[in-house]
Amino acid sequence: MAVEPFAVAELRYFELVASRKSGSLDAPTFRKAVRALAVKDMEGREWILGPEDGQWHHREHDRWITANPPRRLVCPACGHHNLTRHSFCVECGKTLVKPGARV
Ligand SMILES: [Zn+2]
């Protein structure tokens, strides 16, 4: 399966929210775990999920800006990073699964 780092972090975030709601995680542990889901994009910018809203934020000067991260699909066959608008790998032509697509 193609891996998309932002989608992977989102899945983990939903698991953490579920644990928080069921009471198995306290608030500080939850926040720490969400912070640990930080993803670096191809330009080296750090993105974090807001613990309350589940939105992606990136740091610009001294503030966190809410924005959509530059998603990538890593080809399961050759490891090439593809833009998510591609449905197949531009390098080897393999069909890419989109883990971020919600049904
Ligand atoms: Zn490929």
Side-chain angles (χ1 to χ4, degrees):
M1 191 180 94
V3 178
E4 202 282 295
F6 292 100
V8 171
E10 282 166 5
L11 285 176
R12 182 79 187 111
Y13 173 80
F14 291 125
E15 287 172 14
L16 290 170
V17 170
S19 301
R20 177 74 191 112
K21 281 187 178 149
S22 74
S24 59
L25 272 183
D26 61 18
T29 309
F30 171 74
R31 287 173 165 278
K32 226 175 137 182
V34 171
R35 240 351 262 274
L37 296 177
V39 174
K40 274 212 169 109
D41 68 18
M42 309 244 315
E43 280 88 52
R45 283 189 304 182
E46 191 184 5
W47 292 78
I48 60 158
L49 280 160
E52 267 80 42
D53 56 14
Q55 300 288 309
W56 284 105
H57 300 72
H58 72 89
R59 198 150 176 85
E60 204 159 274
H61 307 295
D62 285 334
R63 294 190 302 146
W64 286 103
I65 311 288
T66 307
N68 288 315
R71 294 171 185 279
R72 294 287 187 278
L73 283 173
V74 181
C75 176
C78 75
H80 183 76
H81 284 237
N82 293 274
L83 297 171
T84 47
R85 63 185 151 85
H86 295 298
S87 53
F88 57 90
C89 178
V90 296
E91 198 65 27
C92 72
K94 189 173 170 68
T95 304
L96 298 169
V97 183
K98 296 194 175 178
R102 300 212 177 89
V103 188

